[in-house]
């Protein structure tokens, strides 16, 4: 239940949220935006430009100063049991995002480089916010990433705020940095940059969820703070809604802003060859 005192702030159960996600998936699938020969349209839409105008990347991976950063590797974003699956499931499945993130975890751990996870959590006090953006309103309404308190893990195991089960061996190994939560999208509200700087990191291999929200915001904030950032484009995904394809929006900005845009295969090979 919502702990907020605002009578206009509605909060729905996870079951209702999942049902709403299924309904929204059906509505989205019925729109011209994703209808027709979806596979061909998607391949064309996401393909690299045949004749790019921007200069190619000259980023050289140096493992002595590099880290893998994964945003929101959590059930609510990446699992059919999560409250957002109805709108992100198509993108997550298409890009094989879950498996690709795990490939990055494995490669980073094998190379013994810094690994950091920047999670998203909401506590009861966060439901008392007086104003929110469109996606914030939705996340609060469906109970996304909810926890009973900053110092309370009751009900956390296998909840929507928990890690994907296959990632726990990497995240809970006592070596991975788990930052304080970011509260909207970017890491300007948590201690990620501090943690990386304290370890001498200034290169970041960035992945996680979701592409045009937390992942893109982390990319922008890290670059503004002087980090060199390579985004792994198929180790992320995003919602597809009538308002637009979040993955396509992010991919455009990754190409414009990031120091490099890699596939998972490219990232894994670069990490391995630099070891």
């Amino acid at each position: 239940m919502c702990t907020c005192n605002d009578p206009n702030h509605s909060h729905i159960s996870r079951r209702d949220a999942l049902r709403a996600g299924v309904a929204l998936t059906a509505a989205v699938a019925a729109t011209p935006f994703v209808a027709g020969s979806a596979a061909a349209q998607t391949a064309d839409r996401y393909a690299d430009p045949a004749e790019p105008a921007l200069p190619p990347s000259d980023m050289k991976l140096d493992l002595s100063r590099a880290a893998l950063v994964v945003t929101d590797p959590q059930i609510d974003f990446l699992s059919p049991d999560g409250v957002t699956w109805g709108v992100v499931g198509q993108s997550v499945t298409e890009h094989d995002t879950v498996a690709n993130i795990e490939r990055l975890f494995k490669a980073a751990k094998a190379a013994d480089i810094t690994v950091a996870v920047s999670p998203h959590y909401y506590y009861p006090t966060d439901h008392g916010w007086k104003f929110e953006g469109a996606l914030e309103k939705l996340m609060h309404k469906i109970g996304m990433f909810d926890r009973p308190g900053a110092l309370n893990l009751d009900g956390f195991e296998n909840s929507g705020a928990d890690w994907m089960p296959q990632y726990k061996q990497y995240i809970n190994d006592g070596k991975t940095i788990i930052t304080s939560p970011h509260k909207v999208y970017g890491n300007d509200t948590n201690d990620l940059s501090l943690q990386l700087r304290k370890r001498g990191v200034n290169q970041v291999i960035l992945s996680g969820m979701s592409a045009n929200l937390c992942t893109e915001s982390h990319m922008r904030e890290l670059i503004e703070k002087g980090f060199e950032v390579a985004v792994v484009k198929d180790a992320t995904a995003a919602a597809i809604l009538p308002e637009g394809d979040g993955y396509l929006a992010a991919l455009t900005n990754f190409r414009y802003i990031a120091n490099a845009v890699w596939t998972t295969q490219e990232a894994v090979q670069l990490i391995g060859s630099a070891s």
Side-chain angles (χ1 to χ4, degrees):
M1 293 183 61
C2 178
T3 57
C4 170
N5 293 322
D6 182 355
N8 296 317
H9 194 296
S10 60
H11 194 71
I12 63 178
S13 71
R14 287 188 69 82
R15 179 175 296 178
D16 288 341
L18 288 166
R19 286 174 178 166
V22 171
L24 187 52
T25 300
V28 170
T31 66
F33 185 74
V34 296
S37 55
Q41 291 176 3
T42 297
D44 291 342
R45 190 163 68 247
Y46 299 150
D48 290 334
E51 298 181 5
L54 296 173
S57 170
D58 58 0
M59 180 173 173
K60 305 297 182 185
L61 187 60
D62 179 354
L63 298 188
S64 68
R65 55 189 182 92
L68 171 67
V69 172
V70 184
T71 59
D72 300 348
Q74 293 158 272
I75 287 172
D76 265 345
F77 256 146
L78 290 167
S79 169
D81 294 329
V83 294
T84 66
W85 190 254
V87 292
V88 303
Q90 175 184 331
S91 184
V92 170
T93 301
E94 178 182 343
H95 300 296
D96 205 15
T97 306
V98 174
N100 285 334
I101 291 173
E102 184 170 15
R103 291 178 66 196
L104 293 175
F105 273 130
K106 285 182 178 178
K109 292 297 182 179
D112 197 28
I113 65 172
T114 297
V115 176
V117 170
S118 178
H120 210 143
Y121 299 133
Y122 288 128
Y123 309 135
T125 49
D126 298 323
H127 289 287
W129 293 356
K130 299 300 183 183
F131 58 91
E132 302 151 332
L135 262 295
E136 290 178 84
K137 291 177 183 177
L138 178 60
M139 288 191 288
H140 284 295
K141 185 175 182 179
I142 64 179
M144 190 174 181
F145 301 134
D146 270 1
R147 281 178 47 188
L151 303 178
N152 189 337
L153 287 174
D154 290 348
F156 177 76
E157 188 75 17
N158 299 320
S159 71
D162 197 3
W163 321 124
M164 288 288 284
Q166 55 268 62
Y167 302 157
K168 291 183 179 183
Q169 61 181 309
Y170 312 107
I171 298 174
N172 297 336
D173 64 353
K175 297 180 180 179
T176 295
I177 297 166
I178 302 173
T179 71
S180 54
H182 56 270
K183 287 296 182 177
V184 185
Y185 306 119
N187 55 294
D188 50 327
T189 57
N190 74 6
D191 63 339
L192 175 63
S193 294
L194 171 67
Q195 294 285 354
L196 296 180
R197 293 293 192 199
K198 288 288 192 178
R199 288 175 177 256
V201 169
N202 56 29
Q203 279 191 336
V204 169
I205 303 163
L206 182 63
S207 67
M209 290 294 285
S210 76
N212 64 317
L213 300 173
C214 300
T215 310
E216 182 178 325
S217 292
H218 278 64
M219 174 195 71
R220 290 174 178 271
E221 180 68 13
L222 288 166
I223 286 175
E224 293 281 3
K225 290 188 174 180
F227 290 87
E228 196 174 13
V229 181
V231 179
V232 186
K233 64 181 180 180
D234 56 354
T236 185
I240 300 175
L241 293 167
E243 286 82 356
D245 181 341
Y247 182 81
L248 181 59
L251 185 58
T252 299
N253 289 329
F254 294 161
R255 291 168 176 158
Y256 273 55
I257 300 171
N259 300 104
V261 181
W262 297 332
T263 64
T264 300
Q265 183 64 25
E266 289 169 335
V268 168
Q269 289 178 342
L270 287 167
I271 293 170
S273 61
S275 298

